[in-house]
Structure formats: C-alpha cells, structure tokens
Amino acid sequence: MDAAKKRFWWMVAGVVLLAFVSAAAFSAYLGPDMLVSFGDIMSFCAALIK
C-alpha cells in the first residue's frame, strides 16, 4: 500500500473516531429529558425550513 492510500485510510479512521467521540459526548451531555426538548427544537427548526 502506498503512502497516499495509507494516509487516506488514517484520515478516514480519524474522522470516524471524532464522530463517535462527539456523539458520545453529546449524548452524555444531554439527559433523557433534555433529549425530548432537543427533539422538539429540531422539529421546530425543520418546520421553519419547509
């Protein structure tokens, strides 16, 4: 495997790891009751976009 392919796959692995850590931190930050409020806010924003 040449250096460009190896660098690409390391970058993909880094992005996947960053997304996983961000999702875990976000879900840990929000409590179960806050997830309902967050869902309401997101549906409100989606309705504004439509």
Side-chain angles (χ1 to χ4, degrees), residues 1 4-5 21 37 42 45:
M1 185 182 298
K5 281 185 182 179
V21 169
S37 299
M42 292 309 290
C45 291

Side-chain angles (χ1 to χ4, degrees), residues 14-37:
V15 168
V16 167
L17 182 64
L18 179 67
F20 178 74
V21 169
S22 297
F26 185 70
S27 65
Y29 173 72
L30 292 178
D33 57 337
M34 293 178 73
L35 285 175
V36 173
S37 299

